[in-house]
Amino acid sequence: MAKNILLVDDSSTMRKIITRSLRQAGLDFGEIFEASDGQEALDVLEKEHVDIVLSDINMPNMNGIEFLREKANRDAIKDIPVFMISTETGDDIIGEAKSLGAVGALKKPFTPDKVSEVLGPLV
Amino acid sequence: MGFSGEIAAKLIASTNEIFTGMVMMEIEAIDPPVEPLGQMKNSITGMIGLAGIFKGVLAIHFTNDIAMAVTGSFLGLDVEEINEDVHDAVGEIANMLGGDLKTILSDKGKDIQLSLPSTIGGEEYVFNSRDSGEQLILSFKVPAGVFYIEVQLEK
């Protein structure tokens, strides 16, 4: 069954680019939901059936690290996998994200081939 | 670490990667301007701040025509005015460049913090940052003209 994806990024441009890259990568996915920060993402996860979250780190209101921390405290959604897509690639930031449950990270900028390579196994 | 040719070369490589891989536009690095950039006319600037072991700002300056062409190519749309999409796209390009600059300066992560990207634009304006520190300006040619990346940093 095709998996539903939640894209979390404060840039509408980046949400469009990620969606385009998923399509160009030929990945089979279901519905795509969008959120512009961590708080909106939590709201979507509480309401919709989401299988995978692709999240930025640097965002206003609630950033990606705060989102992971808050999500981990909510039993109903804590096991939904989160993959980070960010300009942040420093070992300590990605390490913190992984310690809070992130299953991987993809650096911006990316190509559809890279999206296929790293997200294909998840989607 | 100063603005060695190596850092400039890495930023040029990053810019090429962003434009060819995501914006889907070919660019050509050309000789930087001899004089300061001075007054921007009918332009839009995306910028991102750095704090921590390095403090400063990275800015990318587009004329409106280039910004619309870049946004159109980035999103696969016809863009005929400076709208929210253009500001968002220019901000996101600044964001990716800022992330790459951070990686160039430090591979750890938390010793340099990035601000959220922002944009300014208008008929005439001057982009000024701190006078102290080092400055780097890179120039790139695209079919619609020339755009600039400006970095001002101090350690």
Side-chain angles (χ1 to χ4, degrees):
Chain A
M1 184 174 169
K3 294 184 176 176
N4 293 343
I5 297 173
L6 169 60
L7 302 180
V8 190
D9 198 305
D10 55 319
S11 167
S12 61
T13 298
M14 191 50 61
R15 297 197 301 269
K16 289 172 187 166
I17 297 301
I18 294 171
T19 301
R20 183 177 75 189
S21 297
L22 289 168
R23 296 189 200 288
Q24 288 177 338
L27 300 178
D28 182 26
F29 52 87
E31 194 165 354
I32 290 189
F33 301 99
E34 296 188 13
S36 60
D37 61 39
Q39 184 57 58
E40 280 188 22
L42 291 169
D43 293 344
V44 172
L45 291 178
E46 296 283 3
K47 291 176 188 167
E48 308 288 352
H49 174 77
V50 173
D51 297 293
I52 300 167
V53 181
L54 307 180
S55 178
D56 190 12
I57 293 177
N58 287 340
M59 296 181 287
N61 304 320
M62 180 186 286
N63 67 34
I65 297 295
E66 295 165 333
F67 163 65
L68 286 167
R69 191 172 288 122
E70 180 61 28
K71 173 180 161 292
N73 289 328
R74 300 190 184 192
D75 287 342
I77 60 174
K78 68 179 182 182
D79 293 329
I80 299 171
V82 180
F83 200 96
M84 313 312 289
I85 300 183
S86 177
T87 59
E88 294 280 2
T89 56
D91 292 343
D92 44 6
I93 291 180
I94 297 304
E96 183 176 13
K98 288 183 175 175
S99 74
L100 290 167
V103 296
L106 174 64
K107 180 186 176 299
K108 299 175 187 173
F110 51 78
T111 62
D113 286 347
K114 192 68 180 174
V115 169
S116 177
E117 176 188 327
V118 300
L119 295 181
L122 284 176
V123 175
Chain B
M1 185 187 295
F3 280 127
S4 65
E6 184 183 351
I7 292 177
K10 286 180 178 176
L11 262 185
I12 289 171
S14 294
T15 309
N16 270 312
E17 182 184 5
I18 290 166
F19 275 79
T20 57
M22 293 194 77
V23 177
M24 305 300 180
M25 178 181 281
E26 295 298 323
I27 63 173
E28 178 190 355
I30 60 175
D31 289 341
V34 177
E35 297 293 324
L37 293 176
Q39 196 166 55
M40 306 288 170
K41 293 185 177 177
N42 296 311
S43 295
I44 178 169
T45 293
M47 61 196 134
I48 186 160
L50 291 88
I53 60 170
F54 284 91
K55 301 176 182 65
V57 65
L58 178 147
I60 184 164
H61 308 290
F62 294 110
T63 63
N64 288 347
D65 286 344
I66 296 176
M68 288 186 286
V70 165
T71 305
S73 185
F74 205 0
L75 294 176
L77 302 170
D78 287 332
V79 179
E80 297 177 342
E81 62 178 347
I82 299 297
N83 55 25
E84 193 174 320
D85 283 342
V86 176
H87 280 270
D88 191 86
V90 171
E92 189 55 32
I93 291 170
N95 188 38
M96 288 189 282
L97 284 167
D100 283 345
L101 177 61
K102 177 179 170 176
T103 303
I104 291 169
L105 296 171
S106 168
D107 58 3
K108 290 182 178 174
K110 283 189 176 174
D111 51 2
I112 298 175
Q113 299 86 45
L114 293 176
S115 72
L116 293 169
S118 57
T119 57
I120 56 170
E123 291 183 8
E124 291 186 357
Y125 61 93
V126 175
F127 180 82
N128 271 326
S129 182
R130 315 167 66 102
D131 291 332
S132 58
E134 297 182 75
Q135 184 185 52
L136 171 71
I137 298 177
L138 302 173
S139 304
F140 297 89
K141 187 177 180 185
V142 292
V146 175
F147 71 86
Y148 303 96
I149 293 172
E150 182 173 4
V151 179
Q152 297 187 13
L153 274 187
E154 66 174 303
K155 191 169 185 179

